[in-house]
Each structure stands twice: as structure tokens, then as C-alpha cells.
Amino acid sequence: MEHRRNQPQRHIVLTSHPGGSRPRHPPVKWGAATAVERGPVIASLSDVGHRNAIGAHAGSYAVYRALAVAAGQLSAYHVPDLTNTSPAQAIGPHPQWFDPDKIVSMDPFGHVVSEVFAEHLDRGMDVRPTIAVTKARIKMPELVDAMRAGRLKADGSVLLESGDARVTKVAIEPVWYLPGIAKRFGITEHELRRGLFEHTGGMFPELVTRHDLKVFLPPINGQTVYLLGDPAALTDPDRKVACRVHDECNGSDVFGSDICTCRPYLTHGIEECIRTAQDNGVGLVIYNRKEGRALGEVTKFLVYNARKRQPGGDRADAYFERTECVAGVQDMRFQELMPDVFHWLGVTRIDRMVSMSNMKSDAIRRAGVEIVEQIPIPDELIPDDAKVEMDAKKAAGYFTPVVPTAEELGVAKGRGLTD
Ligand SMILES: [Zn+2]
């Protein structure tokens, strides 16, 4: 009966009520002056008595982990061996880490738990990283094209003759400090907790029964940072920071689908990042897993069909309306939380922001990060079928030097479904 020992306990342990005994979990003091005073965030399930957070590790992948345990393929008591997993590049600490309002959607100590919470780990607490930092090379055909066209030149450091670019990449899982999230949206913590509980079908009862637990690891996707050039330039006022904040679009980013401008924007952003890095600065690509404006890919594809089948064809003046008809809203990306990553990286000024989205730049400025210059995508990099999206965005007030007229917006520029 070897496999029995790897299964969860036979009786269900409800974490929704703390029980009579004194809690064994360490407190979390968000924004405290030191890491030890802040305390570790413990959401692992190998010893539920130590938990001081709601939810489970790994974002949306927590559900696969639960399935692996249920299927008997993973021990419920497996504790990760963190030998040699420490960051390949030091990041922080920065003053922003110790301000409870600046970072509310990630754990600033998420990459250094083995170091700053070594004592807790030694005492048998299963503290897990929520951030991982590694190094790699990336190679994209558009960067090789840019080298051929003479827009980029190899320097042997950031960009190699082969077209490979050297990057530091950082994976970040969401860790929400509930009072801080509520404050960001101007609602009460109670309203936030109740909304999250009820509209996930009652997935996390502790949201409404355990107001003593202030940290929640939501089952959503996280983000990845690609850093090009010297990370020391991020906090050096004399060196420039270029940045592309990119929200995931699998169809375009990976498969090259031409209905939108996502991949051209991404590769143009990386190109600008490389140029700034080569100019003694640093480039940042923040890749957020928020598919289809965080409405999801099913909604997105439904909207594509609705756009192409509507009377008058696919045109800019009905672009946002069709999205709202299907999803009920135009956008659920909540850019209010996006700037946290800049505070984590210690960035206070972005010299070159490669984006036309005012939603993004406004959110960054509201968070107290200066933006010096906003760089639009050059027209020659926009695919033909994506002209509808570009016109709709410009007309909706996205950053652009030239705003299209009402007449132009009513012209169908997108392909039909079978073209
Ligand atoms: Zn796209």
C-alpha cells in the first residue's frame, strides 16, 4: 500500500475555519521594514497548519497539481528540493519592496525565499518561491531581418552575430495582498473577498471566513519579464530604460495570425529594447498572460466571427462594440495591477515606452513611474488584416500622432471569414 502514503489524508481538512488551537502559522506584515519582519507567505499544502495564505502555488497550474495528486501521480506531501535554483541574476532589494501600497499583486521576496526565509525552511516550513530568475538566449526571425535591413547591429554582448540575443528572464506568479488590491480598485476588502468567492463558484471559502488571512494566491496566469542588457541600468538615473508591456496573444505572438498587431508590436518592442541596451541602457519586455484582453481566447475567437459576419463587414467603428456584445465589457486586463513589476525591479523612469496604449501608460504614470517618450509602431510593420484594430485603437484615444476620421472608420478593411 505504498501509494496510500502519498495520498491526502482520508478525512477532509477544512481550512475555512481555524479551529480552537493557537495558530502555528507565522504572521504576514505586508510592507514591513525587513523580509523577516514581513514574514514568509506560506500557501503550500504539505502542512496545512503552517498556511498563512489562501489559495495554492503555481497560479492556474495549481489545478493540474491537484489533478496529479488526485490521479495518484504526485505525492501530496512532496516538498521541492531547491538546491541550485537560486536567481541567476540578483534583483533588489529596492525601497519600493517595503511600501505596502506600491506592490500588491506579487511577493517582492518571491525569488529569494531560500535566502531570506532560510530559518523558516530549517524549522520545516514549506516556503516556496513564487518568482524564478534565469538566463537564456532568444532568437526571432524579425530580429535577424532587422539585422539584414541594417536597423540592428551585433555587438557580441547583447546581440550576437548569429542573431541570438542574451536575456535575463523572470517568471512571476500572482500573490495578492487583499487589502492592497481592494484599495487599488477603490472598493472595500469585504467587497473584494465576496466578489472573488461568489464569482468563482465558491472556490475559496477562506475568502469570506478567514479575514485573518490577508494574502491570496489566485488561480490565474502570471507574467514573464525579459530583460536585455545590464540590469544595473534599471535603477541608474544616468542610463536609459526602454520598455514594452505586452499582453499575451497566442494567435499572433506564436502562430503569426495577421488579424492583430501583437507579434509585430512584440518584436518591434524587443528591437527597441536591444537598441537601448546597446546604448548603455537596458530593455524590458513585460509579458502578461492576459489572453484576449483577459477575456480569454474563446471569447476572442467568437468576437472575430461576429466582426467578420456583421452587416458592413469588419470595420474599425464597430470593433469595440462587437467585443462588448459578446463579453459584456471591452477589457478585463486591469492595468491598475500591472505597474507593480516596475516597483519590484526598482524602475522609477521609463525613457522609451514602446506602446500606443494609454491604458498602460496612464496606469504606469498613476503608479508614480515617469514615462519620458512613447514610441508608436512604424506603419510598415503592421499586417494588412490588422488595419481595423489599429484604426479602432487610434479612434478610441490610444496614443497616435494621427487620428483617423469617422469616414475612414466606417470602411471595411478586414478580410471576410473565408478569404
Ligand atoms: Zn493579437
Side-chain angles (χ1 to χ4, degrees):
M1 294 299 279
E2 175 58 28
H3 71 281
R4 261 286 165 252
R5 281 196 290 150
N6 285 337
Q7 296 302 302
Q9 286 149 286
R10 296 294 294 159
H11 60 282
I12 292 174
V13 180
L14 283 178
T15 49
S16 54
H17 296 81
S21 58
R22 240 179 53 135
R24 292 158 54 224
H25 60 77
V28 179
K29 278 194 204 156
W30 202 261
T34 65
V36 171
E37 215 183 303
R38 204 293 303 270
V41 170
I42 304 177
S44 50
L45 290 141
S46 50
D47 184 342
V48 293
H50 289 154
R51 280 167 60 82
N52 60 15
I54 304 166
H57 280 284
S60 58
Y61 299 101
V63 181
Y64 282 108
R65 192 183 167 279
L67 183 58
V69 173
Q73 293 169 7
L74 171 65
S75 163
Y77 304 104
H78 172 76
V79 173
D81 174 358
L82 298 174
T83 309
N84 289 331
T85 62
S86 66
Q89 169 68 52
I91 292 173
H94 297 296
Q96 292 91 325
W97 296 15
F98 307 99
D99 179 334
D101 290 331
K102 282 232 165 13
I103 300 175
V104 299
S105 63
M106 61 190 287
D107 177 1
F109 304 102
H111 56 317
V112 287
V113 296
S114 308
E115 192 188 315
V116 297
F117 302 122
E119 215 178 282
H120 296 84
L121 285 158
D122 286 346
R123 280 176 12 225
M125 291 188 184
D126 182 6
V127 189
R128 301 191 179 186
T130 53
I131 299 176
V133 186
T134 189
K135 288 190 184 271
R137 288 183 186 185
I138 59 168
K139 188 168 191 172
M140 300 175 92
E142 288 88 342
L143 299 181
V144 177
D145 290 346
M147 289 169 81
R148 273 201 207 105
R151 297 199 306 272
L152 282 180
K153 284 191 175 55
D155 60 88
S157 168
V158 179
L159 184 63
L160 311 181
E161 283 297 346
S162 59
D164 287 13
R166 285 204 174 100
V167 297
T168 300
K169 54 181 182 177
V170 185
I172 303 169
E173 283 168 11
V175 176
W176 286 7
Y177 177 57
L178 293 168
I181 300 266
K183 197 170 168 187
R184 215 46 91 79
F185 290 102
I187 56 175
T188 64
E189 188 186 332
H190 175 77
E191 286 167 329
L192 173 68
R193 285 173 174 266
R194 191 170 169 161
L196 291 171
F197 169 69
E198 287 184 338
H199 299 284
T200 54
M203 201 169 182
F204 301 99
E206 298 100 315
L207 285 167
V208 287
T209 62
R210 295 289 305 274
H211 277 252
D212 59 314
L213 301 179
K214 300 291 184 190
V215 178
F216 174 45
L217 276 63
I220 59 172
N221 298 324
Q223 57 187 175
T224 314
V225 176
Y226 281 80
L227 197 152
L228 295 112
D230 179 10
L234 291 170
T235 51
D236 185 339
D238 297 326
R239 298 166 76 181
K240 286 191 172 167
V241 176
C243 179
R244 164 82 192 149
V245 177
H246 192 88
D247 296 328
E248 177 175 32
C249 172
N250 183 267
S252 171
D253 292 345
V254 178
F255 290 95
S257 160
D258 71 346
I259 194 169
C260 56
T261 48
C262 300
R263 183 169 167 112
Y265 244 112
L266 179 63
T267 54
H268 173 241
I270 297 171
E271 194 180 317
E272 292 293 340
C273 283
I274 291 175
R275 264 195 288 277
T276 306
Q278 289 177 330
D279 192 22
N280 195 34
V282 64
L284 279 178
V285 179
I286 316 285
Y287 193 87
N288 296 309
R289 296 280 151 56
K290 292 178 182 170
E291 181 59 64
R293 299 204 197 99
L295 304 171
E297 207 171 37
V298 169
T299 295
K300 183 174 177 173
F301 289 6
L302 295 173
V303 171
Y304 287 159
N305 285 347
R307 273 170 51 187
K308 289 178 181 290
R309 284 180 179 140
Q310 69 188 329
D314 191 10
R315 56 193 201 279
D317 63 0
Y319 174 84
F320 287 109
E321 196 187 317
R322 289 278 76 77
T323 304
E324 207 169 329
C325 282
V326 177
V329 290
Q330 292 180 1
D331 198 304
M332 291 199 299
R333 284 175 291 179
F334 295 111
Q335 302 293 357
E336 291 89 339
L337 302 178
M338 175 269 288
D340 285 18
V341 69
F342 293 108
H343 294 316
W344 180 68
L345 291 163
V347 172
T348 55
R349 190 191 71 215
I350 298 166
D351 297 280
R352 313 180 72 230
M353 164 110 182
V354 193
S355 172
M356 64 189 283
S357 167
N358 286 352
M359 273 185 292
K360 288 176 188 166
S361 53
D362 289 350
I364 291 170
R365 288 194 176 103
R366 268 200 304 272
V369 176
E370 184 190 349
I371 296 173
V372 179
E373 187 191 359
Q374 218 168 326
I375 299 170
I377 193 166
D379 278 341
E380 63 269 23
L381 295 179
I382 301 167
D384 279 347
D385 202 34
K387 299 273 194 289
V388 176
E389 182 197 278
M390 289 302 284
D391 285 353
K393 284 181 169 178
K394 287 175 186 171
Y398 279 61
F399 171 78
T400 174
V402 191
V403 180
T405 63
E407 234 163 59
E408 275 180 85
L409 297 173
V411 178
K413 293 184 182 173
R415 274 201 315 270
L417 269 179
T418 52
D419 292 351

